Amino acid sequence: MPTPTKGPRLGGSPAHQKLMLANLATSLFTHGRIHTTRAKAERLRPYAERLITKAKKGDLHNRREISQQIRDKDVVHRLMAEIGPFFADRPGGYTRIIKTLPRKGDNAPMAIIELVNEKLASTEASAATRSAANREVGGPAGGAAATAATIAAAESSESSETSGSSDVEDTPSDLAPSDDATEAAEAEQAVGTDTEPEVPEAEAAAETEVPEAMAEESESSAGLGTDDDAEGTS
């Protein structure tokens, strides 16, 4: 004899409650999430997860058991072909309940029950481990691993090319003068050519100034001599 459910039933009778849960599960599998009262969501969660566990097995016996509760053939097919295989690596916890604001009018507590769409971290880690094992054995690498290997190979080839080009360019630079030295020599030559014409002009000016100074000195000495002679005669 089945154990009766604790607490009040959702409907007026056990048969009514069974039909209500079947309709709620049909809507959940069709739309992926439904908004209902918190009491119905808590009752629906184990009911829907048991159906998903049967769909994961995928045999004819479990399909017939699901069909006894879910009358919509399209929903049964989706449960067996899509939802069950999606949760093949998850041991449980196929649904989640999110509490929302109370319902207006009777202030009943409301909630959203939905199917979990995320994969487990352990599932992704195991998939990465399997791909790494395939690469070690020698199998073809695919997905992100192949992309990472291609990027690494391209970077290594670029680094080798840049190192080779730098060696080739450094060899003649030791023998030939650098660009900085060449520019400095050209600047010195330009400065020399600009200053050369100024030297003769300075020398000519100095030569003209020297005779004028000598002439002035001679004139002053001559004037002094005439003054002395005049004083002597006087």
Side-chain angles (χ1 to χ4, degrees), residues 161-180:
E161 290 177 359
T162 53
S163 61
S165 62
S166 62
D167 295 339
V168 173
E169 292 176 356
D170 292 342
T171 303
S173 64
D174 298 337
L175 301 177
S178 62
D179 296 337
D180 296 338

Side-chain angles (χ1 to χ4, degrees), residues 22-34:
N23 292 333
L24 290 172
T26 302
S27 300
L28 177 63
F29 297 144
T30 303
H31 304 289
R33 59 184 298 174
I34 57 175

Side-chain angles (χ1 to χ4, degrees), residues 218-228:
S218 61
E219 290 178 357
S220 61
S221 61
L224 291 173
T226 54
D227 295 336
D228 296 338

Side-chain angles (χ1 to χ4, degrees), residues 8-115:
R9 291 188 295 268
L10 297 178
S13 62
H16 189 192
Q17 177 176 334
K18 183 178 179 180
L19 292 175
M20 289 180 66
L21 292 176
N23 292 333
L24 290 172
T26 302
S27 300
L28 177 63
F29 297 144
T30 303
H31 304 289
R33 59 184 298 174
I34 57 175
H35 190 201
T36 182
T37 60
R38 196 177 303 172
K40 291 180 180 178
E42 291 175 356
R43 292 289 183 89
L44 175 62
R45 185 173 188 177
Y47 183 87
E49 290 189 357
R50 281 196 296 269
L51 294 176
I52 294 174
T53 302
K54 292 179 181 180
K56 285 170 60 177
K57 299 178 182 179
D59 54 356
L60 181 60
H61 172 68
N62 288 285
R63 187 184 185 96
R64 286 176 176 173
E65 286 191 349
I66 293 172
S67 299
Q68 290 177 0
Q69 302 180 31
I70 306 298
R71 298 296 181 178
D72 193 342
K73 294 183 179 180
D74 295 335
V75 175
V76 173
H77 175 72
R78 183 182 180 186
L79 188 61
M80 298 293 294
E82 298 178 7
I83 299 175
F86 180 80
F87 294 112
D89 298 329
R90 183 181 286 270
Y94 313 120
T95 60
R96 68 164 63 95
I97 296 175
I98 303 172
K99 297 179 182 180
T100 60
L101 296 176
R103 184 169 56 189
K104 293 181 180 181
D106 57 354
N107 201 27
M110 303 295 291
I112 294 175
I113 181 170
E114 61 182 4
L115 298 175

